[in-house]
Amino acid sequence: MQSLHETENVFIKNGVMVVEKMDIIVCVKHVPDTAEAEVTIDPSGRDIKKEGLPFDINEWDNYAIEEALLLKEKHGGKVTVITVGPEEYNETLRKCLAKGADEAIRLYDESFKGSDGYTTAKILYSAIKNMKFDLILTGAMAGDDGYAQVGVTLAEMLGIPHASLVKKVEVKDGWVKVNRELEGGLEEVAEVKLPAVLAIQTGINEPRYVSIAGIRRAAKKEIKVLGLAELGLSKEEVGELGSPTRLERLFIPEVTKKVEFLTGDPSEVASKLANVLKEKGVL
Amino acid sequence: MVEVLVLAEHRKGELRDITFEMLTGARKICDKIGADLTVALLGFNVKEFAKELADYAKQVLIVEDERIKEFNSEAYQKILAKIIGERKPLLVMIGHTAIGMDLAPSLATSLNIPLTTDCIGLDFKDGKLYAIRQIYSGKVNAEITFKDAETYMVTIRSGAFQPEKPEPPMGGGIINIPSPLTDEDFAVKKFVEYVEEAKGEIDISAADIVVSVGRGIKDAKNIPLVEEFAKAVGGVLACSRPIVDKGWLPKDRQVGISGKTVKPKLYIAVGISGAFQHLAGIKGSGVIIAVNKDPKAPIFRVADYGIVDDLFKVIPVLKDKILELKGK
Ligand SMILES: Cc1cc2nc3c(=O)[nH]c(=O)nc-3n(C[C@H](O)[C@H](O)[C@H](O)COP(=O)(O)OP(=O)(O)OC[C@H]3O[C@@H](n4cnc5c(N)ncnc54)[C@H](O)[C@@H]3O)c2cc1C
């Protein structure tokens, strides 16, 4: 055993030498769940009212953190979660720490407000460019604004390759073999050289739940917060000022097709439905 | 001349629908602002496609290289960066698809072009570009504007524009551009192969009646509730994506853009919100009925009949009623 040293990319697990220890960064977002909620536009006309909405880790990111933890369990290494957002976002970072992430970083300044997908990637870039990593995982998109843009933009800024809509990850010899989801049930297998950014698609794994022990462990961990100056950014480069696109206004979409609601108690509704089905000749 | 440039999408020997949808959307913009419509076609042995595309555009730029028989974002980015850099189109349109999501953000970043994604509408007003996108589970639309730039880029949602062939055909010229690619361009990302999903016993795409269950079902143990209802109406059970992601039903039951397209006479959606990726799979359906406790769920924008209630209350009653009628 004496001859085996733990070097950067070699470590020992159960007496077996395992290569390719991986340092993984996972970009996560804290988002409101609006699937079942009443959505109303706030007085600014440029955002929705967020009070009372349930917030959680973005669905896609939940699969991304799981994939990072699975890779760490297999290859060894460290998982760092990073987010751009105000203090409430700590909740999502803590959840990731509780699941098994090693470190958490939150990037925030008031001037970040109004940042578009490009600028969010730029803020992440300004922190990540100084970090050591082998792989970066992001969600393929965020459930709130749905840009599906940050991961691939970040890769370009870092000058490293990427793959989006990733449904399978296998690391080997400095490369990662991925399955990318295409349309209509088709997938493509591709090989990407590390370091790389992978934007993860839902269904790639089964995200674990948070354990009580995990929550306790996470509560003790420090969340590092970096602001504008620490990131070497200026106010002009971030937020609305620094963003190439701007959300001008929100509006509730017009309804073009008129649905006929079947109303009443369940048995009345059932009779009405039965009539419709008979009329249409489907029953 | 002001130019709008559309990237043609093709896979496995077929031009994809999104190409014609974008060309139709682009043509309307070109008519409005007096721009030329150009389509870029990248691939190998794609001259036949070029002829087809010539009906839809003023010019077809074609770049052929054996190494891009299949899409590769690195190679596409190099070619398109060169084309865009030289031609400086006012607007570049790419599909918000598995191809576009892997390409547009890095391409735009490399060229310092403002990009917005997943657009369902576009307009130029007083020389300014406005893009419409859907956010927050499809419940609100957002209008996006751009910082002044020489070139703008957008990705377009599938189904946002209805494809129409121009009458008369535009008879566009075909311009061959030599491939700028070298082996170096494939040093960090390689296409390996396609894998097709395994076929199951039931083909939901051939069924006349489809009952789909969504995340509203809350737990795997509740699925039989909808399954029995499906049986009662004589339909097959299908589902939205989260049900497959969680492993509650096999992938061949998934309806939508990354699953199956169904064209039944009757489609019943139970506890499904109606995300566009789901709706893309039910466009050809006859009668659509939705059961959802949220009256604002986007599924009601496409449904013919709606039942706003808790599915756990209403589905058992619906099932019994239908069985009763059938018994008679
Ligand atoms: C690249 C890509 C491809 C995708 N492909 C597909 C695809 O092929 N197919 C697909 O379906 N999705 C696809 N998606 C996912 C899609 O964006 C949505 O996330 C998904 O369709 C949502 O599924 P859902 O409607 O079941 O769940 P949700 O959006 O969570 O909706 C659940 C609904 O159930 C209702 N509900 C809850 N409880 C009850 C109750 N007790 N009674 C009645 N109603 C209730 C809620 O009001 C809500 O409307 C894709 C996404 C991406 C990014």
Side-chain angles (χ1 to χ4, degrees):
Chain A
M1 292 304 283
Q2 287 295 315
S3 60
L4 291 176
H5 294 290
E6 292 220 356
T7 67
E8 269 213 74
N9 269 324
V10 181
F11 77 113
I12 300 150
K13 190 178 178 184
N14 304 328
V16 181
M17 191 171 83
V18 182
V19 279
E20 296 200 327
K21 187 162 144 175
M22 307 255 297
D23 286 338
I24 306 173
I25 296 173
V26 187
C27 305
V28 296
K29 187 175 184 186
H30 191 58
V31 298
D33 180 1
T34 50
E36 296 181 23
E38 165 96 38
V39 172
T40 45
I41 296 168
D42 80 4
S44 77
R46 300 177 58 202
D47 206 348
I48 59 165
K49 286 194 185 129
K50 304 264 176 68
E51 300 91 64
L53 291 176
F55 274 74
D56 203 345
I57 182 170
N58 173 39
E59 188 180 351
W60 282 263
D61 304 346
N62 201 29
Y63 287 94
I65 178 69
E66 180 63 31
E67 200 58 28
L69 295 173
L70 292 173
L71 286 169
K72 178 182 139 179
E73 281 156 18
K74 190 166 171 200
H75 299 275
K78 194 176 83 178
V79 172
T80 304
V81 283
I82 183 164
T83 192
V84 180
E87 205 169 338
E88 302 92 87
Y89 280 48
N90 283 356
E91 201 184 308
T92 277
L93 293 177
R94 291 243 175 260
K95 188 169 192 171
C96 296
L97 289 170
K99 284 170 180 252
D102 301 280
E103 286 176 20
I105 306 171
R106 185 165 60 82
L107 313 177
Y108 185 65
D109 186 89
E110 258 178 49
S111 59
F112 290 176
K113 199 171 177 312
S115 294
D116 65 1
Y118 171 87
T119 302
T120 303
K122 186 161 74 183
I123 296 167
L124 286 166
Y125 165 72
S126 63
I128 290 173
K129 69 173 199 273
N130 302 316
M131 293 166 64
K132 194 176 141 288
F133 63 88
D134 302 293
L135 184 65
I136 298 174
L137 303 184
T138 69
M141 62 176 268
D144 54 355
D145 50 24
Y147 284 112
Q149 185 181 357
V150 169
V152 176
T153 302
L154 176 63
E156 182 66 28
M157 290 172 174
L158 288 163
I160 60 177
H162 68 262
S164 71
L165 294 169
V166 171
K167 287 279 303 252
K168 191 172 168 193
V169 175
E170 233 178 82
V171 175
K172 215 178 154 223
D173 303 330
W175 286 72
V176 55
K177 192 169 177 179
V178 298
N179 281 33
R180 289 191 63 230
E181 179 181 288
L182 310 176
E183 287 79 12
L186 193 68
E187 289 183 2
E188 119 189 330
V189 182
E191 288 172 345
V192 183
K193 197 167 192 292
L194 294 173
V197 178
L198 306 181
I200 302 294
Q201 173 64 317
T202 57
I204 184 174
N205 52 39
E206 278 179 54
R208 68 196 64 189
Y209 289 97
V210 176
S211 69
I212 302 288
I215 293 173
R216 285 214 195 97
R217 222 183 323 114
K220 288 191 211 108
K221 287 206 166 141
E222 181 212 1
I223 290 175
K224 195 160 137 192
V225 182
L226 300 176
L228 202 61
E230 285 117 316
L231 293 170
L233 291 167
S234 70
K235 281 194 164 48
E236 291 69 38
E237 291 174 275
V238 297
E240 267 178 28
L241 282 176
S243 292
T245 69
R246 171 184 154 99
L247 195 163
E248 207 65 45
R249 65 183 180 104
L250 294 182
F251 58 98
I252 303 291
E254 244 178 83
V255 181
T256 43
K257 179 172 168 181
K258 199 94 186 94
V259 58
E260 184 179 335
F261 284 113
L262 308 176
T263 53
D265 64 33
S267 72
E268 285 170 275
V269 168
S271 302
K272 287 180 185 170
L273 179 70
N275 284 338
V276 168
L277 297 183
K278 269 193 279 180
E279 239 173 68
K280 302 276 171 192
V282 283
L283 261 199
Chain B
M1 183 73 191
V2 181
E3 180 172 88
V4 174
L5 181 73
V6 172
L7 174 65
E9 220 180 85
H10 59 93
R11 181 177 297 138
K12 291 187 137 190
E14 268 175 51
L15 278 168
R16 298 176 47 74
D17 293 349
I18 182 76
T19 307
F20 300 102
E21 295 168 11
M22 286 193 289
L23 284 167
T24 308
R27 198 166 72 238
K28 297 207 168 117
I29 290 177
C30 287
D31 288 348
K32 178 163 181 180
I33 62 171
D36 276 350
L37 177 50
T38 301
V39 55
L41 173 65
L42 281 49
F44 186 60
N45 281 340
V46 287
K47 297 224 166 46
E48 283 305 310
F49 293 166
K51 278 189 217 147
E52 202 179 335
L53 292 169
D55 288 346
Y56 290 80
K58 182 105 188 283
Q59 293 167 99
V60 185
L61 310 178
I62 162 165
V63 182
E64 292 199 287
D65 191 310
E66 197 170 355
R67 293 164 293 195
I68 48 165
K69 214 166 143 273
E70 314 303 340
F71 169 73
N72 179 313
S73 66
E74 297 273 331
Y76 265 53
Q77 181 166 325
K78 175 154 176 188
I79 297 169
L80 289 169
K82 190 160 182 286
I83 291 176
I84 294 167
E86 283 168 10
R87 304 181 70 91
K88 309 221 183 303
L90 177 62
L91 178 66
V92 180
M93 287 165 77
I94 296 177
H96 192 68
T97 56
I99 286 179
M101 282 188 240
D102 210 42
L103 170 69
S106 51
L107 176 61
T109 303
S110 76
L111 294 169
N112 212 4
I113 292 176
L115 162 72
T116 204
T117 58
D118 194 17
C119 300
I120 58 169
L122 290 176
D123 199 5
F124 272 96
K125 279 181 272 186
D126 303 324
K128 226 176 143 49
L129 175 61
Y130 293 81
I132 305 294
R133 35 196 324 279
Q134 242 175 28
I135 56 174
Y136 293 113
S137 338
K139 287 187 172 168
V140 255
N141 285 0
E143 183 182 71
I144 306 291
T145 55
F146 301 77
K147 268 199 188 145
D148 288 341
E150 203 169 16
T151 300
Y152 304 95
M153 191 182 296
V154 291
T155 66
I156 303 292
R157 175 179 288 191
S158 301
F161 300 107
Q162 290 307 311
E164 277 164 39
K165 195 168 170 171
E167 238 2 284
M170 291 170 77
I174 296 176
I175 303 170
N176 283 289
I177 297 178
S179 166
L181 298 175
T182 68
D183 284 344
E184 265 302 285
D185 298 313
F186 299 86
V188 293
K189 191 174 187 179
K190 299 180 194 327
F191 171 86
V192 180
E193 60 178 344
Y194 288 119
V195 280
E196 204 93 39
E197 116 192 22
K199 286 211 167 47
E201 321 117 57
I202 288 179
D203 183 9
I204 57 167
S205 59
D208 273 344
I209 300 179
V210 175
V211 178
S212 257
V213 57
R215 183 143 50 190
I217 198 69
K218 296 288 186 301
D219 198 295
K221 69 174 199 304
N222 300 327
I223 291 201
L225 182 81
V226 182
E227 191 166 19
E228 280 161 33
F229 172 62
K231 255 189 231 151
V233 295
V236 300
L237 182 69
C239 63
S240 66
R241 176 173 186 130
I243 304 298
V244 173
D245 284 345
K246 288 176 201 287
W248 297 350
L249 283 175
K251 172 92 192 188
D252 60 6
R253 300 287 180 126
Q254 181 187 316
V255 173
I257 210 158
S258 57
K260 290 243 159 77
T261 300
V262 296
K263 291 189 165 63
K265 290 198 192 107
L266 173 64
Y267 186 80
I268 307 182
V270 181
I272 291 178
S273 62
F276 91 92
Q277 293 99 339
H278 186 81
L279 302 183
I282 65 170
K283 261 190 286 185
S285 301
V287 178
I288 298 174
I289 299 173
V291 180
N292 195 307
K293 65 178 183 187
D294 176 6
K296 298 272 174 64
I299 188 82
F300 289 128
R301 288 187 218 137
V302 300
D304 300 287
Y305 298 94
I307 298 171
V308 180
D309 207 341
D310 182 348
L311 72 93
F312 295 102
K313 274 197 223 142
V314 73
I315 291 294
V317 183
L318 295 179
K319 184 193 76 184
D320 290 345
K321 182 77 194 177
I322 283 159
L323 288 177
E324 180 198 313
L325 282 171
K326 279 190 160 172
K328 273 186 203 157

